[in-house]
Amino acid sequence: VRPASPGTQGGTMNTINALIAIILTLAVGFFDGGWAAERVPVFVSIAPQAHFVQQIGKDLVDVQVLVEPGADPHTYEPRPQQMVALSKAVLYFAIGIEFEAAKLAKISAVNPRMKVVHTDHGVLKLPMAGHNDHDAKDDDKNDHRHGGLDPHIWLSPPLVMLQARSILTSLQAVDPAHRSAYEANYRAFIMDIVDLDAQLRAAFDGLKGSSFMVFHPSWGTFAHTYGLKQVPIEIEGKSPKPAQLKDLIERARSNRIRVVFAQPQFSSKSAEQISRAIGGRVAVVDPLARDWANNLRQASEEFKHAFE
């Protein structure tokens, strides 16, 4: 048998090495659904969710937010560039806001292989708040913008723990190679939430039943969690009529409310009208801020000062 020439042997080894390199590349870059990326491409509806996913996924995920900062999540229309990015996503974490009911089918059609995870599944939602003087007949005639239930579950730390679990299991399913890393990150995030919840409960200790007035009723679930009462100005997405505005001013006076809260995504005109009538001020709190934990701390300080 003639031994292989040095050139032939070297060529064979080069071929084998090339094949091994290709196999290793495929093993690292492809898993489960067969997509290739350094990080798991993920979309969320609103910015606070990006914080949740980032805490669990860390540098293993690439998170993009659909509803951009300052935009109204009730009426947001995705930009063409976002639809292109959605076509490459592996996961979409929904949270149950009105925007999703109108657009989620269209989003899913762009990328049928993308798994939509409803992180609000199994989370008990409260009835959407309305001020006591709102015309009951109007309530019967009109469907509420949120279907009668408060979707703002990301503003209650205990409810975020439930959402975090859905995020964890979904990331582990699409990226099983990093299952233990996701689990460790999840546990650390839960401990952070427990600490935050304790801080907020301590902040409102002795203030149970205190009322605060807001334009858009975003903070009802937060208020319920910490024993407070939210008094909304806007009802069913509409500014109050003159008679309702008068009633709100009287209620603010009777409850010694001196601060009216607005949020960046909506007009503060009604809040300013009421604050002038009661000799108070308008404060801005953003329920859609991405820096979720610090935002809740800051908002709680604003609410607490409003009771002083």
Side-chain angles (χ1 to χ4, degrees), residues 11-274:
T12 302
M13 290 303 298
N14 288 337
T15 302
I16 292 173
N17 288 336
L19 288 172
I20 291 174
I22 292 171
I23 292 169
L24 289 174
T25 300
L26 292 173
V28 171
F30 288 82
F31 58 83
D32 195 50
W35 56 274
E38 292 182 359
R39 295 181 294 171
V40 181
V42 175
F43 256 88
V44 297
S45 293
I46 54 175
Q49 292 176 283
H51 176 83
F52 307 155
V53 177
Q54 203 71 64
Q55 291 302 302
I56 298 171
K58 299 294 184 182
D59 58 356
L60 296 172
V61 297
D62 176 22
V63 189
Q64 296 191 57
V65 181
L66 201 58
V67 180
E68 298 175 327
D72 181 355
H74 303 88
T75 58
Y76 186 74
E77 185 72 31
R79 296 182 293 106
Q81 298 93 320
Q82 291 179 309
M83 298 303 284
V84 172
L86 277 162
S87 68
K88 303 173 184 177
V90 175
L91 292 170
Y92 185 102
F93 290 109
I95 199 168
I97 59 175
E98 184 186 36
F99 155 82
E100 294 168 354
K103 304 296 181 183
L104 205 51
K106 179 180 178 181
I107 291 170
S108 298
V110 171
N111 183 359
R113 296 182 64 189
M114 177 181 67
K115 181 180 180 181
V116 177
V117 180
H118 295 274
T119 61
D120 61 324
H121 181 73
V123 177
L124 182 63
K125 297 177 182 178
L126 301 172
M128 199 68 178
H131 64 74
N132 293 341
D133 299 306
H134 186 58
D135 190 346
K137 292 181 181 179
D138 288 342
D139 285 336
D140 293 336
K141 292 179 182 178
N142 299 314
D143 291 332
H144 197 279
R145 289 168 68 108
H146 297 300
L149 296 178
D150 190 343
H152 304 91
I153 57 174
W154 64 90
L155 296 175
S156 172
L159 299 185
V160 172
M161 294 185 195
L162 301 177
Q163 298 164 60
R165 188 70 192 175
S166 295
I167 294 169
L168 168 66
T169 56
S170 299
L171 289 174
Q172 288 179 323
V174 300
D175 187 10
H178 297 104
R179 184 180 185 87
S180 59
Y182 292 128
E183 180 72 29
N185 295 339
Y186 162 79
R187 290 180 181 276
F189 182 40
I190 291 298
M191 293 306 299
D192 289 343
I193 297 175
V194 169
D195 289 342
L196 173 62
D197 182 55
Q199 292 170 23
L200 297 180
R201 291 185 188 282
F204 296 118
D205 186 37
L207 295 172
K208 291 191 183 300
S210 297
S211 298
F212 62 91
M213 184 169 284
V214 297
F215 174 70
H216 184 69
S218 302
W219 296 88
T221 301
F222 175 91
H224 177 78
T225 300
Y226 299 108
L228 309 175
K229 291 182 180 179
Q230 171 189 252
V231 180
I233 297 172
E234 179 195 62
I235 300 296
E236 295 180 354
K238 300 175 183 177
S239 295
K241 298 175 183 177
Q244 294 171 333
L245 193 63
K246 181 181 177 181
D247 290 338
L248 285 165
I249 291 169
E250 292 177 358
R251 183 170 181 183
R253 288 172 176 163
S254 65
N255 284 278
R256 298 181 179 180
I257 292 174
R258 290 290 178 267
V259 181
V260 183
F261 292 96
Q263 72 181 70
Q265 296 81 16
F266 300 101
S267 169
S268 60
K269 182 179 178 181
S270 297
E272 290 167 354
Q273 285 180 297
I274 294 174

Side-chain angles (χ1 to χ4, degrees), residues 279-296:
R281 65 183 177 90
V282 174
V284 177
V285 287
D286 187 0
L288 294 171
R290 181 161 181 158
D291 189 3
W292 175 77
N294 285 331
N295 184 56
L296 285 191

